[in-house]
Amino acid sequence: LVILALVGAGAVSATLLYRANPLLVLVRAPAILIGGVGVTLAGVWAESIVILFVGSAIAGIGLGPAFSAFLRTVTPLAPAEQRAALLSATYVLIYLSFSVPAMVAGVAVTVYGLEPTAYAYGLAVMALAALTTVAVSRRLAAVTPAPAARPG
């Protein structure tokens, strides 16, 4: 059910923000993801299933639109005859980015326990989302023209 909260909230929020500027969404949505993961970790700490579900839903509100905005930004860059290959490669990388850390976490649980592993996994997700946001922001700043100066 926690996964349903994550992907359900992600699907709804991505649908609601479909017409929003994808570049703006790419920069802002990860902050919501980071906050949601933080709330989820607070739920683990408080041993509260309600906080865990709320945090997962908040994380989904950030993850869904960010993923949608990424696809809306990247897909048009590929020639039409190569878009299927681009999307296929994207999905393979996404599945690997979810499954490999989950397998590593599964092994870590047997060594360190569930709670420490959850904290480490959550903090890693938060750090990667923050790094990605900084990288995207810098890239957009480098390619976005500065606004014209107003005559005084």
Side-chain angles (χ1 to χ4, degrees):
L1 291 176
V2 170
I3 299 300
L4 178 61
L6 177 77
V7 297
V12 169
S13 59
T15 301
L16 292 173
L17 291 173
Y18 180 74
R19 298 216 185 275
N21 179 340
L23 300 177
L24 190 60
V25 173
L26 277 174
V27 173
R28 293 187 177 169
I32 300 168
L33 171 64
I34 291 167
V37 173
V39 172
T40 301
L41 293 179
V44 171
W45 177 79
E47 298 179 3
S48 169
I49 193 72
V50 172
I51 297 172
L52 186 77
F53 272 93
V54 169
S56 295
I58 293 169
I61 290 168
L63 182 62
F67 177 65
S68 174
F70 169 77
L71 289 180
R72 288 187 294 135
T73 302
V74 172
T75 303
L77 300 177
E81 65 277 1
Q82 295 179 350
R83 287 186 185 152
L86 171 68
L87 289 175
S88 297
T90 300
Y91 278 105
V92 167
L93 288 173
I94 288 168
Y95 287 130
L96 287 173
S97 73
F98 280 107
S99 61
V100 171
M103 289 186 287
V104 170
V107 172
V109 165
T110 63
V111 176
Y112 302 106
L114 181 58
E115 195 169 333
T117 301
Y119 292 135
Y121 191 99
L123 291 172
V125 168
M126 293 168 79
L128 289 171
L131 288 171
T132 301
T133 302
V134 169
V136 169
S137 297
R138 286 184 178 169
R139 178 70 179 138
L140 289 176
V143 298
T144 303
R150 295 173 128 179

